[in-house]
């Protein structure tokens, strides 16, 4: 991909992490969890985004979502249960890729799966 140098270091990583930190600070104003900007960045890089334009587009869509929040808040919680079950099934599918032979992978995967439903937070599960 050309992102790392010959020694495996990420050049200009300070700038990338600083932008991520600033995005986290501004995201906290709107009530986003701190891990959201990291996940968005990681997903963008995995999909092939290298220039930062993906982050600008995601930010633009998050800005538009602010105006739709009151409309979406009117949907009762019981109406979104089916969608949450589908999301949970999609997340559980990735458990098959875990290397359970390594204790560090097995424990971190187990903690992630257990902490999410007990704390009602995906962010806390990912931090665990």
């Amino acid at each position: 991909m050309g992102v790392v140098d010959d020694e495996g270091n990420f050049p200009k990583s300070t700038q990338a992490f600083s932008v991520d930190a600033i995005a986290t600070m501004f995201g906290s104003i709107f009530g986003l969890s701190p891990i959201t900007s990291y996940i968005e960045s990681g997903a963008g890089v995995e999909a092939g985004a290298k220039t930062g334009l993906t982050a600008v587009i995601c930010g633009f869509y998050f800005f538009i979502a602010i105006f739709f929040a009151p409309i979406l808040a009117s949907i009762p919680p019981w109406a979104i249960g089916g969608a949450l079950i589908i999301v949970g099934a999609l997340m559980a599918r990735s458990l098959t890729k875990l290397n359970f032979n390594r204790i560090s992978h097995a424990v971190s995967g187990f903690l992630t799966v257990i902490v999410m439903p007990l704390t009602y937070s995906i962010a806390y599960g990912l931090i665990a």
Side-chain angles (χ1 to χ4, degrees):
M1 288 175 64
V3 178
V4 295
D5 59 10
D6 295 335
E7 297 175 6
N9 297 324
F10 176 38
K12 299 184 181 178
S13 62
T14 304
Q15 293 172 347
F17 291 132
S18 296
V19 169
D20 230 4
I22 292 169
T24 301
M25 287 189 297
F26 281 112
S28 67
I29 295 170
F30 297 107
L32 299 174
S33 61
I35 200 160
T36 305
S37 61
Y38 170 74
I39 292 171
E40 292 295 331
S41 298
V45 170
E46 185 177 352
K50 299 179 196 172
T51 62
L53 187 59
T54 305
V56 172
I57 292 171
C58 284
F60 174 71
Y61 284 129
F62 275 125
F63 178 72
I64 291 175
I66 293 171
F67 302 107
F68 290 102
I71 297 169
L72 296 175
S74 67
I75 299 173
W78 53 267
I80 60 172
L84 291 176
I85 290 172
I86 292 172
V87 169
L90 292 173
M91 290 175 69
R93 185 174 21 170
S94 65
L95 288 174
T96 60
K97 299 176 185 173
L98 258 175
N99 184 7
F100 286 104
N101 295 326
R102 293 190 61 186
I103 190 72
S104 62
H105 292 192
V107 169
S108 65
F110 173 76
L111 285 175
T112 300
V113 169
I114 292 299
V115 169
M116 278 186 199
L118 293 179
T119 61
Y120 301 104
S121 172
I122 293 174
Y124 287 148
L126 293 175
I127 291 171

